Amino acid sequence: MKLPLIGGGRVLAPLEESAFAALMGFFFGGILLVVLGYNPILTYYYMFYGGLGSLSNVTDMLGNAAPLILTALTFAVGVRAGLFNIGAEGQVYVGAGGAIYASYYFLPAGIHLGFALVLAGAAGALMAVPTYLLKAYRGVNEVITTIMLNWTAYFGVLWVAIVLLADPARPEKTISVAPTSRFPDFLLGSVSTSALLFAIAVAAAFYVYLWLTPSGYELRSVGLNPEAARFSGINPRKPLLSALLLGGASAGLAGAVQVAGRTTPFALYTGLSNVLNYGYNGIGVALIGRNHPLGIIVAGLFFGTLQAGFSTVQLYARVPFEIIQVIEGIIIFTVAAPELYRRFRGSLKK
Amino acid sequence: MSLDFSIVGAISVTGLNLMVPIALTAIGEVFGEKAGVVNIGLEGIILTGAWSAVYFSWLAQSPWVGLLGGALTGTFFGALHGYVAIWLKGDQIISGVGINIFALGFVPFAIQAVWGVQGSFAKCSVCGVPEISTPWSPLSYFVPLTIVIAGAFWYLLNKTRYGSMTKATGENPEAADAVGINVERVRFLAVMIGATLAGLSGAFLSIDYTGGITKDISAGRGFIALATVVFAGWKPMLALAGGLLFGFAQEVSSFATTLPAIGHTFPSVDYIFSALPYVVTLIVVATAVGRSRFPKALGTPYRRE
């Protein structure tokens, strides 16, 4: 079976485009660093040191990669169905809220985690229902709906965090996820490793669904050519619903992973600060990974490495850690225009 | 506690001031979307516009240079977005997401890199412009300016040849091309004009409204503006009204939470108020009224056959 990773024409072109986007991020990020008086080489050294420099840095990196892989799957399954689903951001919030809410119940370890994951996934999927209804029955573009839902979810979860999940002893955070519903730390002494394995398992499940089941085939057919799919008798609403619900569930799980699968803090913090932007950065991961589960795992590890550099960049290179987000933004901006790389290549040949 | 006249006055003035950034950004985006280009990077453009307005005020020791700098920062991002969306036929939504992520990192990074402080820089003695004094609190000159701009864009879109050309590129670029309109150039100009207003909104927030910069000064206003555009059915005057409605909602909600009766019975009720613009917009697009008003070529690059 041929991996559908590679498009027609030049075999490596998509990979080159992804690498080009990453290099553009480092290049323009480097220019910015120089202009503002920082040493880019030192900065990049500590950025990667933060993700790869020691065992605990590596587990931190894996912990960052797990939610990014899950939110990237949300975007990717949407693209495969011809959708532009940017709703992962809000679905992460409600997923995290759902996973924390599960800690109000007392259940044996293992079953408790399963329960939290089911709640988180269901909350994320539920968040996607309005997008489906408005698209299928009102013809409203999913970009509009998901932006509105992301912000509704943001303020809704902020509210729920205070009225329902507040920690009476610590006003800056919600209650912590119960130890019985945290990810197990059976590898490298960190919960992040099992969270990452879980994310990879979900990615594998998406692969199986998309390429090995009739329903997944229908979904991709609608995405590739909606007209042809309709003529061959596919009801376009079914793949639309599948893509949105599966994507919503995956983003909800990303929220769960973020509160139950990181070394700290096992809770939501003021302003949802520890779950922000995973949905939007997931779009970047999906694009760098060419909307394919395998590519997404690799791209997720790459973005996870960047994000794990937050503390080392700040502490050792003495550069504000936000430079990492600047670089991520430039990378995402660059992948918006594949033509940019083609022109760059063209100018090299002359 | 009874509502007395002075509280109503103060709320009205602040509500009008808070209308400005939402309305200005929304009016600009109406113009850009009429030309067929969506810019979801507005939030990031407001944020960087606000930062650079403070930066240029501080550098030139003049708030006027700052206002100009903020607006031109908007133009710059509009040009970048337009280049990707129009000339490179890239993806408008992804480009916008990239601009937002960039700005969320760039502004706190640059605040610390330039002024050596974390999160906010308030010690900008020149950051401030004259305001209209009222019996309650100062009203910004941006309020009448925004109303004039809304009228100007209504006129531009509905009464001028240039406005018709712009709308044609967003409704039917093939037909526009056939009658000799340079689709790319008209769209590019519209995106730059729209983004300039977003940059100016940012400059208003930092120079006029607060007199400094914080890393979250935009506070979702770019997204509220996007909601307003849809809510207003791509009409500049309704975008002004939407900005007024959502600006007032912001002020009323922050006032409501200070009332003990409300603050105690409904904890954090301001979060529910804050969600209002988005929920209202969802309801508007969900009802039949919201259908089929989208510029037909919205979001799709134009490729000549």
Side-chain angles (χ1 to χ4, degrees), chain A residues 200-213:
Chain A
I200 290 175
V202 175
F206 268 81
Y207 180 84
V208 169
Y209 171 73
L210 282 171
W211 277 280
L212 303 177
T213 69

Side-chain angles (χ1 to χ4, degrees), chain A residues 43-125:
Chain A
T43 310
Y44 291 154
Y45 172 76
Y46 279 112
M47 193 179 289
F48 283 99
Y49 184 85
L52 307 167
S54 73
L55 188 62
S56 71
N57 292 7
V58 169
T59 54
D60 186 32
M61 177 272 274
L62 300 179
N64 268 301
L68 288 169
I69 289 169
L70 291 167
T71 53
L73 290 170
T74 305
F75 183 76
V77 73
V79 170
R80 292 290 176 184
L83 288 169
F84 211 100
N85 178 8
I86 57 173
E89 184 69 23
Q91 290 153 354
V92 171
Y93 309 154
V94 295
I100 292 170
Y101 182 74
S103 289
Y104 277 126
Y105 295 87
F106 294 101
L107 290 167
I111 295 174
H112 204 174
L113 176 62
F115 177 60
L117 292 176
V118 167
L119 271 191

